[in-house]
Amino acid sequence: MQTSLQRTKALLAKFRRRRILVAGDLMLDRYIYGGVSRLSPEAPVPVVNVRGEKNMPGGAANVARNVRALGGGADIFGLIGPDQAGRDLMKAMRAEGIVTRCVTGGSSATTVKMRVIGERQQVVRVDWDSKANLGGALLAGLSRKAAAAVAQSDGVILADYSKGLVCPEITGAILSAARRCGVPVAVDPKENRDLPLEGIAIATPNRKEAFYLAGASEKEPARDPLKDRPLLCVCDILMQQWKPELLVITLGAQGMLVAPRGQSPFHVPTVAREVFDVSGAGDTVIATMLLALSAGADKTEAAELANCAAGVVVGKMGTATCSGPELIEFMRNMRR
């Protein structure tokens, strides 16, 4: 670990002066919590006695929530449906301090992911999935709104969850505006090969997504990512294809492979001490990395801070965030 606590504190102080636009698929994460003391007589499943419910910003909104938790300002761009879930999501985002002026009402239902938690274990997840219905007039209006929002930002995160909003037209409008304004754009891509991503600042696919986007068959990972020839080949393909300033392939328990443009890739091992839930860890990585780079961190510092922040959130139950004090405490504990 090269980044000192003093340097981390200095960067976190700068986060408060950064305004990040998060553009992507919005969804509502609904949690139902309870206790389990018996199995159902109807089927071999636990009976969860409900003790509480909570609505949380999900999808791209969770990326914005991570930006806010680290002290940055967050504007959200996306669509919600004409339904109670959409209203619940708007309320949840505003409660987290996320600015929602760039949210548009659409005709498709709001995506909801409901998780039932019994005694700190996820029993089941129930999804209400919906694809964005982007007609010609709506698409043109969203593209204009996105481009205008970029000009008011210090950085942009494109958060694709395969629900339709992150499409070539809107992505192109955001990247064109970002180039004009000198604003860095980070992308957390899913399995969508149609997006015009050439020239982005940061891309953070996971291993599976990276192999798919490179058009390669995923192989069994090697123990040392720097000796994993298929992974390094995929890294080269994506660097040539997208020409990013920084490519970060997240590797789960192996940490992350970081490839800066014009330099050899390096490996950042995972620092997680406990893993309760990996949901949302990718959101934490991209939020931390863009904030760090926009605040003046170098690529190694940004990768290390993002890795530590992910180590914090996987130790929590549910879709979680990492605050600045939590990041400092985690790094302090690593040095003991």
Side-chain angles (χ1 to χ4, degrees):
M1 184 82 179
Q2 298 180 29
T3 311
S4 68
L5 287 176
Q6 183 178 359
R7 174 61 171 162
T8 301
K9 290 176 182 177
L11 289 169
L12 286 169
K14 292 181 180 180
F15 285 7
R16 293 193 288 271
R17 300 193 294 273
R18 294 294 177 268
R19 180 143 221 100
I20 303 300
L21 173 68
V22 181
D25 300 304
L26 304 182
M27 57 188 74
L28 180 68
D29 282 345
R30 180 168 286 151
Y31 289 87
I32 298 177
Y33 301 94
V36 175
S37 59
R38 63 192 177 96
L39 293 177
S40 169
E42 302 165 2
V45 295
V47 175
V48 178
N49 185 24
V50 176
R51 296 172 183 163
E53 300 180 39
K54 190 173 185 179
N55 289 325
M56 305 285 285
N62 187 57
V63 179
R65 183 171 166 247
N66 272 273
V67 171
R68 288 290 300 129
L70 287 163
D75 290 79
I76 193 75
F77 170 87
L79 285 172
I80 59 167
D83 46 31
Q84 185 60 47
R87 293 186 287 275
D88 289 343
L89 176 53
M90 289 292 282
K91 182 178 179 180
M93 289 191 293
R94 288 167 178 160
E96 297 281 350
I98 299 168
V99 178
T100 60
R101 62 191 170 198
C102 294
V103 176
T104 300
S107 59
S108 303
T110 304
T111 292
V112 179
K113 296 186 182 297
M114 184 180 74
R115 297 169 176 89
V116 180
I117 311 295
E119 307 294 356
R120 292 181 62 83
Q121 296 291 327
Q122 187 174 143
V123 175
V124 67
R125 193 179 93 179
V126 182
D127 290 2
W128 288 264
D129 266 334
S130 181
K131 287 276 189 178
N133 183 16
L134 300 179
L138 176 60
L139 183 57
L142 287 170
S143 297
R144 289 192 298 271
K145 181 182 282 190
V150 169
Q152 306 300 316
S153 305
D154 297 305
V156 181
I157 297 174
L158 274 169
D160 185 8
Y161 289 85
S162 302
K163 307 302 177 191
L165 184 82
V166 183
C167 60
E169 293 82 0
I170 291 175
T171 299
I174 287 173
L175 289 175
S176 294
R179 282 191 288 270
R180 289 195 302 272
C181 301
V183 173
V185 179
V187 181
D188 186 7
K190 290 296 180 282
E191 296 176 0
N192 186 348
R193 293 174 178 166
D194 296 329
L195 297 180
L197 297 181
E198 185 172 341
I200 55 176
I202 309 168
T204 62
N206 62 33
R207 182 186 175 92
K208 179 181 178 183
E209 292 161 350
F211 273 83
Y212 179 85
L213 291 164
S217 298
E218 187 176 2
K219 308 295 184 183
E220 188 72 20
R223 286 189 177 184
D224 182 354
L226 292 177
K227 296 180 180 177
D228 191 330
R229 288 191 176 183
L231 177 63
L232 295 174
C233 181
V234 160
C235 183
D236 287 342
I237 291 171
L238 294 180
M239 289 297 290
Q240 293 174 20
Q241 186 173 304
W242 295 337
K243 299 177 176 60
E245 292 295 324
L246 188 65
L247 173 65
V248 179
I249 302 177
T250 57
L251 304 172
Q254 287 188 311
M256 56 180 69
L257 183 73
V258 182
R261 183 194 292 179
Q263 300 177 33
S264 299
F266 61 91
H267 176 227
V268 180
T270 185
V271 291
R273 295 186 174 183
E274 293 182 293
V275 178
F276 283 109
D277 194 338
V278 298
S279 60
D283 299 343
T284 303
V285 167
I286 196 168
T288 308
M289 191 156 281
L290 183 61
L291 273 171
L293 289 173
S294 71
D298 64 32
K299 295 175 176 65
T300 300
E301 291 170 334
E304 289 184 343
L305 293 187
N307 196 37
C308 288
V312 172
V313 301
V314 299
K316 300 180 181 182
M317 179 59 66
T319 307
T321 62
C322 172
S323 68
E326 286 175 321
L327 180 59
I328 293 294
E329 184 61 21
F330 185 91
M331 293 174 69
R332 184 177 286 119
N333 287 337
M334 283 179 59
R335 286 169 163 80
R336 288 174 181 165

